[in-house]
Amino acid sequence: MTSRDGFQWTPQNGLKQGVPSIGVISPSTKITSDTPWDVIVIGGGYSGLTATRDMYQMGEELEPSFDFSRGVNYFELRTDKHSTTMSHEEEDTLLATALEKFVNVDGDMGRIIVPFPYAGFHNPDARKYDKMSVLDRLNVISQSLTPNERTGLESFILLCSCGTLETTSFFEFLHWWALCGYTYRGCMDCLISFKFKQGQSSFAIKFFNEALSTGNLSYAFNSPVKSIQDEDKKVTVTTRDGRSFTASCLVSTIPLNVLNDITFNPPLDPIRTQATKIGHVNQCVKVHAEISNKDMRSWTGISYPFNKLTYAIGDGTTPAGNTHIVCFGGQHNHIQPEEDVNATKAAVTSMAPGNMDIQRLVFHNWSKDEFAKGAWFFSPPGFISSSLDALRQRHGNILFANSDWAIGWRSFIDGAIEEGTRAALTVKEELRSTPLRSHL
């Protein structure tokens, strides 16, 4: 099956829309009744899927992203002034040293300021750092950083936020740092070192199939929501094509950057409304490249600040035996990859000139996706302090569950599961004393 989203480019076929995915559901709708539902869940991401399932088992489906056992086996740091290669051990030392200088605001690598990452934003001493941008913090420590440390540090931060140095919250980075055990190695282990062998769709489809197997799930994909009305102990969802669905309660997993497109009646509270207008900053460009150079499997690289893609790693081997390179760029030097494939190819090639014989490109433009308007959540300065509590509140019979406002692994799949579980437990408790009908 081929998705509706995303793009592929090959020399033979040029640019084509859609990518192969085992997560595509066919038929796209399964509704056999128009009677009122117990619960409507808007969204088929991990928050929505979690709200309809009980458990999962995929511990054996993980594999490492890195393989430094053969090939070129080096890290390449390219700036607009020079190019340097170093061992991966030297890469780790460079980034670890720079990150430790960056986060050490309390003499204990952030442990005092954020002693418990699941409640850190309520700490008055920590909130002052939410008002700081990453650039503010970099200016404080600038004299202690070597040029290579500064380049590597900025690149790593922008890999996380995919915003700009000015628009990225320093506290949100501290939050990530705390979640990863206050170490660079922890960041690598938690953020980038492991992946699902068959991709995230293999994870999502297990959630969906488990929910479907209960016999209680009906679904309607390709049904964009226009409005949500909550009145008389019922919630009515109206889609753009005029269909309406009614339930006793509703779980909305609509992302932060999209919430402002939906009409709510009664309107959302002022703080949440303002938060949806601000949104988060992540406008990630993520390009997957299949290249013929098999030795690049053990390569990593930074190309900053001159290139439109900033950070890349050898991330696997394709069925054809080629190397899979995954490249990241952000808002600081943004491109629209499908609008100029030649510019995208040039950005990939510039990560490691002479070693990027591109056989295929695969990407999705998250910034232009009307149902995302960005990639994973990363907050601007001041946003967590002013908005996170409000985003987590219910609105009458409407519950909001999304990784964008998770307490723990905010912006990650784990955060989506956290939020979906929170909503599901609330709904289950409220419906416990009422007869179950069906679930959409």
Side-chain angles (χ1 to χ4, degrees), residues 178-232:
L179 286 168
C180 295
Y182 308 91
T183 66
Y184 165 74
R185 174 50 54 194
C187 286
M188 297 303 291
D189 288 344
C190 293
L191 303 181
I192 199 171
S193 293
F194 300 96
K195 61 181 181 178
F196 290 117
K197 295 177 183 178
Q198 303 300 319
Q200 288 190 22
S201 292
S202 67
F203 191 42
I205 198 67
K206 286 181 179 291
F207 280 62
F208 180 80
N209 286 336
E210 183 175 341
L212 194 63
S213 70
T214 66
N216 292 325
L217 175 67
S218 298
Y219 58 86
F221 293 104
N222 303 323
S223 303
V225 173
K226 180 180 180 181
S227 64
I228 300 172
Q229 183 164 329
D230 179 21
E231 63 177 356
D232 298 330

Side-chain angles (χ1 to χ4, degrees), residues 123-168:
N123 178 1
D125 292 331
R127 286 200 170 203
K128 67 180 180 181
Y129 295 110
D130 189 36
K131 298 178 181 179
M132 293 178 62
S133 71
V134 160
L135 183 60
D136 293 332
R137 175 59 180 168
L138 285 170
N139 288 338
V140 171
I141 65 168
S142 61
Q143 297 303 309
S144 69
L145 297 170
T146 68
N148 280 353
E149 286 175 346
R150 179 73 183 244
T151 298
L153 179 57
E154 289 189 13
S155 300
F156 189 89
I157 293 166
L158 294 176
L159 170 65
C160 295
S161 78
C162 292
T164 68
L165 299 177
E166 296 87 350
T167 63
T168 297

Side-chain angles (χ1 to χ4, degrees), residues 294-308:
K294 298 175 176 58
D295 287 340
M296 290 292 281
R297 175 68 179 91
S298 57
W299 170 90
T300 61
I302 288 174
S303 182
Y304 175 83
F306 65 93
N307 197 17
K308 291 187 179 297

Side-chain angles (χ1 to χ4, degrees), residues 41-290:
V41 178
I42 297 177
Y46 285 107
S47 291
L49 291 170
T50 301
T52 61
R53 69 87 169 112
D54 295 319
M55 63 181 179
Y56 61 92
Q57 296 291 332
M58 286 194 71
E60 297 181 357
E61 294 299 314
L62 294 175
E63 66 178 3
S65 293
F66 299 106
D67 181 359
F68 298 151
S69 63
R70 61 176 177 80
V72 298
N73 202 20
Y74 62 74
F75 166 68
E76 188 169 359
L77 179 65
R78 303 186 68 240
T79 72
D80 47 9
K81 296 180 180 179
H82 70 276
S83 178
T84 304
T85 60
M86 58 185 76
S87 69
H88 291 302
E89 290 78 10
E90 291 171 320
E91 172 192 7
D92 288 343
T93 298
L94 174 72
L95 290 172
T97 301
L99 279 165
E100 287 167 2
K101 293 176 182 179
F102 182 66
V103 303
N104 195 19
V105 294
D106 54 11
D108 198 15
M109 297 302 165
R111 290 178 176 86
I112 297 173
I113 291 297
V114 190
F116 185 58
Y118 287 83
F121 74 104
H122 282 133
N123 178 1
D125 292 331
R127 286 200 170 203
K128 67 180 180 181
Y129 295 110
D130 189 36
K131 298 178 181 179
M132 293 178 62
S133 71
V134 160
L135 183 60
D136 293 332
R137 175 59 180 168
L138 285 170
N139 288 338
V140 171
I141 65 168
S142 61
Q143 297 303 309
S144 69
L145 297 170
T146 68
N148 280 353
E149 286 175 346
R150 179 73 183 244
T151 298
L153 179 57
E154 289 189 13
S155 300
F156 189 89
I157 293 166
L158 294 176
L159 170 65
C160 295
S161 78
C162 292
T164 68
L165 299 177
E166 296 87 350
T167 63
T168 297
S169 163
F170 175 51
F171 174 78
E172 188 73 339
F173 190 88
L174 283 177
H175 176 71
W176 279 36
W177 176 259
L179 286 168
C180 295
Y182 308 91
T183 66
Y184 165 74
R185 174 50 54 194
C187 286
M188 297 303 291
D189 288 344
C190 293
L191 303 181
I192 199 171
S193 293
F194 300 96
K195 61 181 181 178
F196 290 117
K197 295 177 183 178
Q198 303 300 319
Q200 288 190 22
S201 292
S202 67
F203 191 42
I205 198 67
K206 286 181 179 291
F207 280 62
F208 180 80
N209 286 336
E210 183 175 341
L212 194 63
S213 70
T214 66
N216 292 325
L217 175 67
S218 298
Y219 58 86
F221 293 104
N222 303 323
S223 303
V225 173
K226 180 180 180 181
S227 64
I228 300 172
Q229 183 164 329
D230 179 21
E231 63 177 356
D232 298 330
K233 297 183 180 180
K234 68 177 182 180
V235 184
T236 301
V237 177
T238 302
T239 61
R240 291 181 190 172
D241 59 11
R243 289 176 294 160
S244 293
F245 304 94
T246 300
S248 300
C249 63
L250 180 141
V251 178
S252 168
T253 70
I254 301 169
L256 172 65
N257 285 6
V258 182
L259 266 176
N260 202 35
D261 294 340
I262 309 300
T263 300
F264 286 86
N265 186 20
L268 299 179
D269 61 273
I271 297 178
R272 190 176 347 227
T273 298
Q274 181 63 19
T276 65
K277 292 178 180 178
I278 297 171
H280 70 77
V281 303
N282 189 323
Q283 300 299 320
C284 177
V285 177
K286 186 176 182 181
V287 178
H288 300 267
E290 182 176 349

